[in-house]
Each structure stands twice: as structure tokens, then as C-alpha cells.
Amino acid sequence: MPSTPLRTDPPAHGAQPVTGLRERKKAKTRASIRSHALHLFKEQGYAETTVEQIAAAAEVSPSTFFRYFATKDETVLDDLIDADTFRIMVAAPVELNPIEAMQYAVNRTFARMTDEMLDLEITRNALIQSVPELRKGVMAEINRPIELLTEAIAIRLGRPTDDPDLRLYAGAAVGALMTLTQARDEPRAAMTSLGELIGRLDRVLHLPPA
Amino acid sequence: MPSTPLRTDPPAHGAQPVTGLRERKKAKTRASIRSHALHLFKEQGYAETTVEQIAAAAEVSPSTFFRYFATKDETVLDDLIDADTFRIMVAAPVELNPIEAMQYAVNRTFARMTDEMLDLEITRNALIQSVPELRKGVMAEINRPIELLTEAIAIRLGRPTDDPDLRLYAGAAVGALMTLTQARDEPRAAMTSLGELIGRLDRVLHLPPA
DNA sequence: ATGCTTTTGATAGTGACTGTCATCTCTTAG
DNA sequence: CTAAGAGATGACAGTCACTATCAAAAGCAT
């Protein structure tokens, strides 16, 4: 919390905030720590990897590690919920119903990803599935996607964002989706077939009219 | 895991396992630790209370504390998901539909509780709502109630326990219920009006026929 | 270069949790 | 009633995530 922020971060719109020279190094450090952390986790396991090791691998001090990531699990869980996907959902063709719009957005998100991004996602997902502590962390933030989904549906349907039925519907959708993805054994399948899984939601969900 | 369990715990039926003398002391110690922990949490806050303090208050060593509770938060979260409620749900009058049966079971569970049990629940609930780490712990076990609910509905309807539609339905129900209870500000209301909240589920849920 | 801010590393904690081992206390066989 | 075995306890030492503090270093502007 700087006292006189002469040049703070731009309001975080869709466009890239014109990288400000010094901040590039920070982004690089952050990415480096994250990357080294994930590699180490994959090689030695999550619990077996200490923050000290990660810091050493990324060539920073442990102090610095904690300046970039508040907790060890943040290296895995950060950015997990992709706000972009919900933005795509909002912008999906109007004739799609909410569930179809979700499918559209998810499929499109996967299509946008490069192979290495997909690999990263899969690694991450495998970690989350296998390490209880990480699974815990994901669940803890379950409200975020519910919130985002509520909002996305509200915008699409021109309904108020605080419509209780919408929130209820979104909560049910996320809950159902959660059970669907967790039922899968292989992490790869759960991820790539996400679009298909969403299609099953309308078997049990029903959106009450405004 | 004793090598020769001459007298292990009975198969845990509904009836009370005839308490075996020494085990009574263990139960007492466990209850004591838990009670002291909750009181301290309420007085000084969760993070501000150390395991050492709890152990001291309960007059055991820190080592012993960890023999009874694997983690600090287990003192709060243990026994949170009440399997009995689901048992009551299974036994609810046949003419009730799944949602009505849930309401029936929840209301009955509250009715069974003594005042101090209710107080305990409310304290616990307030803690969970206010301490992020505890909330995390609850979310982590979200699968348990989904599982139990799936099973309860399956039994009531005479459908197979692994019916994917039922699991989906249960997941949606729990997800929706979660958002409903979290929307509330005052913990007391969220708990005691749980039965009423469940009634709203059928606004968005719909169980596909077998 | 000279000030200023921001980032960094070193250091010293705290507290949850683990593992080990000797002691002590029940329980049961004899 | 007692001895032996099993289980429970406490003391101790250690690991590791995470916090707080402070001085040195590096980026940036004038």
C-alpha cells in the first residue's frame, strides 16, 4: 500500500497494462518461482518439496518467495479460476441458453490454449487431485466461480445480478459440476471432456423464469 | 492398528457400543480437549489460541493433544457432518419426496438437540464462518454429504446407489444449499432456518426419472 | 552523481506438527 | 494378588511453513 502511488497499476481492463519496465522483472521472477515450484512438485512430490528448495531453484531468498506467494499452495492454485472463460461466456451468441453458453466458453478456452499451457493445466490438475491439502484449497474458493457464473448468466439473460434464483442455480451448477469432475479417475479426461460434462447439467437443473 | 485386537470396537451400529471401561476415559479426555478448545477459541480467537494453551487447559501434554486430534482444526470440524441426519432422512415417511425428506430430517435433528448442543453447534458455525482456515476445512469434505445424500435418496427411491443422475442431483443440491447458507450473515439464522432453505431447492432442481 | 523508493536477503523468531523413547497405568492371565 | 504385556502419556528434539524486522542493494528521477 504505497503512500503516494504516482503510477499505480492501470484499472485492469481486458487489454494488457503497458508493462512498466521494472514490473517486467517482477513478473519474470514470479513466473520463475511458479515454474520451478511446479517442476519440483512433479519430481519429488508436493509435501517433499520445501519452500527453501523452491527458492533456491528459482535463485531467490525464502523471504522473497513469500513476497510473491503468500503460501506454498498458492504456487499451484493461483489463477486457477479463469475469469476470462466467464467473459467469453458472457459474449457467447445470444441464442445459446446458459448451459450451452458455458459449454461454448469452456470449449473455446481449451481451444485457445497452447500445448504447453494445456500441459501445465494437466500437471496442476493432477497435483490438485492427488494432494489433499491442495484439493482443500480449491474447495475453499468455490464461491468465486459461483459468483462469476451468477453474474455471467445474469448479464446474458438481462436479469439482476443479485437474483436469488440465479445464485441458487449457479451454486447448483457448480456443485454438480464438481461431483462430475471428481468422479473421473484420470485427470486428463476430466479436463478435456469438461465441455461434454457440462451438457449433462440440464438433466437436473432448471432455471425458474424471472 | 493393534496386532491382536481381543476386544475391538463393535461394528458401530445405531446402539451404543458397550463402553469398555478404559475407553470411557479416552472419550472423556477427547471431549475435554474439544470443549476447552472451543471455549478458548470463542474467548481469544482461533489463531490466537495455541495448541499448547489448549493442552494446558485440558491438563494434557501437547503430545497427547495430537494423539486425540490430528490437527488443531479437527477440534472444530470433527463430527460436523451428521450421518444420523441422513439416517433419519432414509427413514422418513415414504410419501415425502427427496427434498421434503431432507427438510423432515433436518427439522427433526434440530428438534432432538438439547439447548447446549444447539449452542455448541452455533458456536462452531460462527467459528467456521469467520475463520477462513476452518471454512476451507469444511469445503474440503464437501464430498461426504454429497455421498450420503446420494445414498439416502437412492434408498428412498429404490434406485441404485451409483445412479449418475442421483449423484449429479445430490451434488447440485449440496452446492445450492451451500450458497444459501453462506449468503446469510448471522450464523444463527443460517442454522435454524436450514429446513426452510431446503424448501427452495426445488426451484432449480429436478430429478430425472429412472 | 544524489536523493528517493522499492526490492531484496539475512536473521531471528513463532507455532503446528512428527518421531522417538522412557515411564507409567491400566488390563488380564496365572 | 501379582506379574507381565499392552496401551497411554509426557518429555524432548526436530522440521517446516510462515512472520517480522532491518539493513543493504538496486532501480528510478532529478
Side-chain angles (χ1 to χ4, degrees):
Chain A
M1 209 185 284
S3 48
T4 31
L6 292 180
R7 199 202 335 141
T8 337
D9 304 346
H13 274 349
Q16 301 155 358
V18 188
T19 61
L21 214 50
R22 194 179 201 161
E23 326 191 350
R24 202 170 308 180
K25 198 160 213 166
K26 282 184 75 173
K28 230 168 137 181
T29 304
R30 185 180 175 84
S32 165
I33 295 176
R34 210 236 229 75
S35 159
H36 284 287
L38 286 177
H39 279 127
L40 286 171
F41 292 158
K42 197 172 182 178
E43 283 168 22
Q44 333 176 334
Y46 179 78
E48 290 71 26
T49 304
T50 70
V51 168
E52 225 177 24
Q53 288 172 2
I54 301 170
E59 292 180 301
V60 296
S61 72
S63 316
T64 297
F65 173 94
F66 283 109
R67 278 192 196 98
Y68 281 88
F69 297 92
T71 61
K72 181 178 164 186
D73 58 1
E74 204 179 299
T75 55
V76 180
L77 299 179
D78 186 54
D79 277 346
L80 193 62
I81 295 152
D82 190 4
D84 272 332
T85 303
F86 289 97
R87 259 178 241 125
I88 296 174
M89 178 178 168
V90 170
V94 281
E95 66 267 23
L96 301 181
N97 67 34
I99 288 181
E100 289 166 340
M102 272 180 75
Q103 279 184 298
Y104 173 91
V106 167
N107 288 334
R108 198 155 172 119
T109 299
F110 278 120
R112 277 163 164 270
M113 292 204 282
T114 65
D115 280 354
E116 45 183 348
M117 283 168 74
L118 194 61
D119 264 4
L120 177 80
E121 281 309 308
I122 289 171
T123 301
R124 211 202 271 205
N125 231 284
L127 271 173
I128 289 171
Q129 293 286 7
S130 59
V131 181
E133 191 190 327
L134 294 176
R135 207 161 41 224
K136 228 168 116 171
V138 177
M139 303 302 323
E141 297 206 23
I142 201 88
N143 278 335
R144 272 271 299 297
I146 292 178
E147 203 60 36
L148 289 169
L149 183 57
T150 304
E151 207 174 318
I153 298 179
I155 294 175
R156 287 187 62 80
L157 300 183
R159 293 221 223 166
T161 307
D162 60 351
D163 182 331
D165 279 343
L166 285 189
R167 171 171 267 96
L168 195 61
Y169 182 82
V174 172
L177 216 46
M178 210 183 54
T179 72
L180 280 180
T181 54
Q182 291 200 340
R184 301 274 159 169
D185 288 318
E186 347 96 53
R188 180 168 226 106
M191 280 211 33
T192 53
S193 61
L194 191 56
E196 178 217 332
L197 293 181
I198 293 173
R200 301 197 201 159
L201 289 184
D202 59 11
R203 292 186 64 80
V204 300
L205 293 184
H206 148 257
L207 214 178
Chain B
M1 211 184 283
S3 47
T4 31
L6 292 178
R7 198 197 342 133
T8 336
D9 304 346
H13 275 349
Q16 303 153 356
V18 188
T19 60
L21 213 49
R22 193 179 200 161
E23 326 192 347
R24 203 170 308 180
K25 199 160 213 168
K26 280 184 75 173
K28 231 167 135 182
T29 304
R30 186 181 175 84
S32 164
I33 294 176
R34 213 236 225 75
S35 160
H36 284 287
L38 286 177
H39 278 128
L40 286 171
F41 293 158
K42 197 173 182 178
E43 283 169 22
Q44 332 176 334
Y46 180 78
E48 290 71 27
T49 304
T50 70
V51 169
E52 224 176 27
Q53 288 172 1
I54 300 170
E59 292 179 301
V60 296
S61 71
S63 316
T64 297
F65 173 94
F66 284 109
R67 279 193 195 97
Y68 282 88
F69 296 93
T71 60
K72 182 178 163 185
D73 58 0
E74 204 178 299
T75 55
V76 181
L77 299 179
D78 187 54
D79 278 345
L80 193 62
I81 294 152
D82 189 6
D84 272 331
T85 303
F86 290 96
R87 259 178 241 122
I88 296 174
M89 178 177 168
V90 170
V94 281
E95 66 267 23
L96 301 181
N97 68 35
I99 289 180
E100 289 167 340
M102 273 179 74
Q103 279 183 299
Y104 173 90
V106 166
N107 288 333
R108 200 157 172 116
T109 299
F110 278 120
R112 277 164 165 268
M113 292 204 283
T114 65
D115 281 353
E116 44 183 349
M117 283 168 73
L118 193 61
D119 265 3
L120 177 80
E121 282 308 309
I122 289 171
T123 301
R124 211 202 274 205
N125 231 282
L127 272 172
I128 289 171
Q129 293 286 6
S130 59
V131 180
E133 190 191 329
L134 294 176
R135 206 161 43 226
K136 229 170 116 170
V138 177
M139 302 302 323
E141 296 206 23
I142 200 87
N143 278 335
R144 272 271 298 299
I146 292 178
E147 203 61 35
L148 290 169
L149 183 58
T150 304
E151 208 174 317
I153 297 178
I155 294 175
R156 288 187 62 80
L157 300 183
R159 293 221 222 166
T161 307
D162 59 351
D163 181 332
D165 278 343
L166 285 189
R167 170 170 269 98
L168 195 61
Y169 182 82
V174 171
L177 215 47
M178 211 184 54
T179 71
L180 279 180
T181 54
Q182 292 200 340
R184 302 270 158 171
D185 287 318
E186 348 96 54
R188 180 167 228 106
M191 280 212 33
T192 54
S193 62
L194 192 56
E196 177 218 333
L197 293 181
I198 293 174
R200 302 197 201 160
L201 289 184
D202 58 10
R203 292 187 64 81
V204 300
L205 292 184
H206 148 258
L207 214 179

